[in-house]
């Protein structure tokens, strides 16, 4: 095969290499899935371990004897290009918590969900917009613009609230 024929038949190689480079670049910029999952787990634990007073502050009716279960989904973080949990200062997430006394049915559990901002300091600082008149404005004020649509749209992964309900049924309602 002549060199001219090789050049004519290999023209497609350049677009494929460009596409491969673009995909590799996107993976380099996006946070690794395991980091976002780890951050979501950390947010859920922080929320679950909050005191009843902290829950009341955010409009969640929790008694001292209640078991609190939470799940979360990471929307983003600061810095956005963090590669390790230790590098993350702030997590933007969507959360769902349910609380109840042992034996309390799901239908009577105290529940709260929505966007949350968690500063990973020692101790962590949790910000949840107060419910009521002006709630959308308070949510917008605490989140970067790129997360606002998600904050009002709920979980992207619908299995998360379903799994939390099942955990509640197994760990609290049946206790």
């Amino acid at each position: 095969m002549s060199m001219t024929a090789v050049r004519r038949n290999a023209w497609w190689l350049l677009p494929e290499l460009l596409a491969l480079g673009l995909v590799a670049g996107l993976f380099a910029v996006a946070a690794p899935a395991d980091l976002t999952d780890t951050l979501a787990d950390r947010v859920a634990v922080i929320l679950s371990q909050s005191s009843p007073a902290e829950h009341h502050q955010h409009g969640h009716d929790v008694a001292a004897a209640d078991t609190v279960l939470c799940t979360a989904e990471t929307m983003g973080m600061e810095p956005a290009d963090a590669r390790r949990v230790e590098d993350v200062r702030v997590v933007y997430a969507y959360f769902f918590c349910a609380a109840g006394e042992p034996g309390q049915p799901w239908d009577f559990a105290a529940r709260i969900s929505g966007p949350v901002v968690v500063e990973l300091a020692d101790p962590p600082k949790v910000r949840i917009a107060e419910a009521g008149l002006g709630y959308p404005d308070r949510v917008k004020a605490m989140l970067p613009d790129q997360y606002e649509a998600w904050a009002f749209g709920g979980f992207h992964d619908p299995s998360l609230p379903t799994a939390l309900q099942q955990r509640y049924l197994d760990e609290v309602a049946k206790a």
Side-chain angles (χ1 to χ4, degrees), residues 1-166:
M1 187 180 268
S2 72
M3 221 30 192
T4 305
V6 169
R7 284 188 191 133
R8 253 186 279 140
N9 291 333
W11 66 268
W12 53 266
L13 189 58
L14 182 61
E16 284 193 17
L17 289 174
L18 287 172
L20 181 62
L22 178 63
V23 169
L26 289 174
F27 278 114
V29 171
D34 59 340
L35 176 60
T36 59
D37 291 345
T38 300
L39 292 171
D41 291 344
R42 179 159 301 173
V43 167
V45 167
I46 290 168
L47 293 172
S48 296
Q49 294 176 348
S50 296
S51 71
E54 291 169 312
H55 280 278
H56 285 291
Q57 177 184 359
H58 300 298
H60 193 198
D61 190 25
V62 175
D66 286 352
T67 299
V68 179
L69 301 175
C70 299
T71 189
E73 187 173 33
T74 303
M75 294 188 288
M77 64 193 148
E78 287 180 17
D81 61 349
R83 309 302 287 162
R84 303 174 316 142
V85 172
E86 302 81 52
D87 299 330
V88 177
R89 293 186 313 273
V90 178
V91 180
Y92 303 100
Y94 196 88
F95 79 99
F96 179 35
C97 293
E101 295 177 5
Q104 187 171 31
W106 172 256
D107 291 344
F108 298 101
R111 295 176 285 216
I112 186 172
S113 66
V116 62
V117 178
V118 178
E119 295 177 28
L120 298 178
D122 189 21
K125 182 179 176 187
V126 175
R127 288 185 286 151
I128 297 173
E130 182 182 344
L133 188 61
Y135 175 77
D137 293 330
R138 286 189 289 280
V139 168
K140 290 176 183 179
M142 73 179 207
L143 293 173
D145 293 345
Q146 69 262 34
Y147 307 128
E148 289 176 4
W150 189 337
F152 295 112
F155 284 96
H156 283 184
D157 181 351
S159 72
L160 293 171
T162 302
L164 179 72
Q165 181 180 6
Q166 189 58 54

